[in-house]
Amino acid sequence: MTNEKNLIKKYFLPLSKNLESQNLSNDAAIIKKSSDFVVTSDMMIEEVHFDSAINPKNLAKKILRVNLSDLASMGSSPYGYLLNIGMPNNLKEKWINDFCLGLSQDQKKYDLKLFGGDLSSSSKIFLSVTMLGKIKKKFLKSKSTANSDIFVTGNLGDSALGYILNQKKNHIKLEKQIVNYFVKKHLLPSPRLDIGRRLIGYSNACRDISDGLIKDLEDICDNSNLKATIFLNQIPLSRNAKKIKQDIEKNTNFWELVLCFGEDYELVFSMDKKKQNIFFEQNKKLKTKITKIGFFSEGSGVEIIDNK
């Protein structure tokens, strides 16, 4: 690997043109703001969360977007991030160039700043991002109330299907266009930042679906001492997911994938009926699909109702 200082100067300094980073000249960044901040952190490790064949530009975007999704679940706006990277010594400089291109594109897309971080050698590629978001006086929490309805944004399961179809051992034969659709959904999630901010004052519980709908709902149930009931026929699926459902079921449990795999990075949230009427009246022109999938009631755990 090229000299660390030269790599930082060539690739990461151009991403850090902000006062807080101090041009990466110090060991830490300085944040001077009167706003309240939220902070989140995620890591990705080669051969655990991704394989070496992944496009480094997509990898850079994904590590940013999984953190942005955490901010969305609290109704926060993106501000900036710290990046730690471990790289093998034989990693080609083109990989670093493409990785930084991905960072640059999403920094512009989501109005993010790179404050600094650390660069080290390691046997596998290791990535860790710590991200700061700005909030006003209120933010979204993870505690619901009984008789609130449960909603999700977007469609569920596309990322799980993308992961399965992108595996080398995958034997499911589908049109290349459909496979590419699912793989892209897995590699490039769309954090629901706008929806998260709009939910402040309306939603009484919100999480991003990173660990799977069931697991994330269980966490809300535990925090709230409530039971969640959801209906399979109300789970939103993309047109492509419905199209390949039978093909997938020949090899694996379709609904287990959709409900348990995770990495959807959609929002699951609850809202009482009075606030629903106001929220949907004021947000008629939302481009993101929102679907009611169930409700919270007294009890514990998650109950799944099928057609029978």
Side-chain angles (χ1 to χ4, degrees):
M1 191 170 69
T2 312
N3 179 276
E4 180 181 329
K5 286 185 178 180
N6 291 336
L7 285 178
I8 291 171
K9 185 176 180 180
K10 184 174 180 180
Y11 293 107
F12 296 98
L13 186 59
L15 298 172
S16 310
K17 297 296 183 183
N18 58 80
L19 293 175
E20 287 93 339
S21 76
Q22 305 287 296
N23 289 319
L24 304 184
S25 59
N26 294 325
D27 287 334
I30 298 172
I31 310 296
K32 291 183 177 180
K33 283 284 177 179
S34 58
S35 307
D36 288 325
F37 284 101
V38 296
V39 62
T40 184
S41 184
D42 269 297
M43 68 174 68
M44 294 176 67
I45 304 169
E46 184 181 356
E47 294 183 3
V48 177
H49 302 100
F50 62 92
D51 68 43
S52 58
I54 190 172
N55 184 322
K57 186 166 72 172
N58 289 338
L59 181 61
K61 291 181 177 183
K62 186 164 185 178
I63 188 65
L64 291 181
R65 294 185 189 195
V66 299
N67 282 275
L68 286 166
S69 185
D70 286 334
L71 297 186
S73 72
M74 295 188 71
S76 171
S77 299
Y79 187 63
Y81 68 104
L82 296 161
L83 172 66
N84 294 320
I85 308 179
M87 306 182 197
N89 289 322
N90 61 355
L91 194 67
K92 294 181 179 178
E93 193 170 329
K94 184 182 186 309
W95 190 99
I96 303 169
N97 179 75
D98 291 346
F99 182 82
C100 288
L101 178 60
L103 293 178
S104 177
Q105 289 175 349
D106 265 14
Q107 281 187 203
K108 291 174 185 174
K109 182 180 179 72
Y110 295 105
D111 193 20
L112 276 170
K113 305 174 184 180
L114 175 63
F115 296 136
D118 196 16
L119 196 61
S120 179
S121 61
S122 63
S123 58
K124 303 288 183 184
I125 297 170
F126 172 90
L127 306 170
S128 174
V129 161
T130 299
M131 188 171 286
L132 276 73
K134 295 181 290 183
I135 54 171
K136 296 183 180 178
K137 292 183 179 180
K138 295 182 179 180
F139 59 93
L140 298 173
K141 301 179 181 179
S142 295
K143 188 173 182 179
S144 188
T145 56
N147 302 315
S148 292
D149 290 324
I150 301 170
F151 298 84
V152 293
T153 60
N155 296 311
L156 303 187
D158 284 350
S159 175
L161 295 170
Y163 175 81
I164 293 295
L165 296 173
N166 199 35
Q167 295 300 295
K168 294 173 183 176
K169 296 178 182 178
N170 166 49
H171 300 298
I172 303 168
K173 300 301 178 185
L174 297 169
E175 297 175 27
K176 188 175 181 180
Q177 185 178 355
I178 290 180
V179 173
N180 289 343
Y181 164 84
F182 288 114
V183 171
K184 185 177 180 181
K185 287 290 184 180
H186 178 66
L187 294 177
L188 292 174
S190 298
R192 302 300 188 182
L193 291 157
D194 179 52
I195 302 289
R197 289 190 292 267
R198 289 172 185 263
L199 287 174
I200 292 176
Y202 296 98
S203 173
N204 45 37
C206 183
R207 290 182 72 95
D208 76 320
I209 307 173
S210 55
D211 297 324
L213 176 65
I214 302 303
K215 174 67 168 62
D216 289 307
L217 269 178
E218 283 177 344
D219 288 343
I220 296 177
C221 289
D222 289 344
N223 289 336
S224 313
N225 293 316
L226 293 173
K227 168 185 171 183
T229 299
I230 61 172
F231 300 89
L232 276 190
N233 63 1
Q234 293 179 21
I235 301 298
L237 301 175
S238 66
R239 187 184 307 168
N240 283 332
K242 293 175 183 176
K243 190 182 295 185
I244 70 166
K245 183 173 179 289
Q246 288 185 331
D247 294 303
I248 295 295
E249 285 176 333
K250 294 172 186 176
N251 296 273
T252 189
N253 186 318
F254 177 82
W255 283 115
E256 186 175 345
L257 266 181
V258 170
L259 299 178
C260 301
F261 179 86
E263 295 199 36
D264 293 296
Y265 299 107
E266 297 291 348
L267 297 181
V268 54
F269 62 91
S270 63
M271 199 182 297
D272 67 42
K273 289 181 170 52
K274 286 184 180 178
K275 290 187 176 179
Q276 286 174 42
N277 294 333
I278 302 170
F279 176 81
F280 288 109
E281 180 64 29
Q282 292 183 348
N283 292 278
K284 287 180 178 177
K285 295 183 179 180
L286 275 180
K287 293 181 180 179
T288 303
K289 178 170 70 174
I290 295 177
T291 307
K292 182 165 71 174
I293 62 168
F295 59 88
F296 285 108
S297 60
E298 299 297 332
S300 62
V302 179
E303 181 178 62
I304 307 166
I305 308 294
D306 65 13
N307 291 330
K308 298 179 182 179

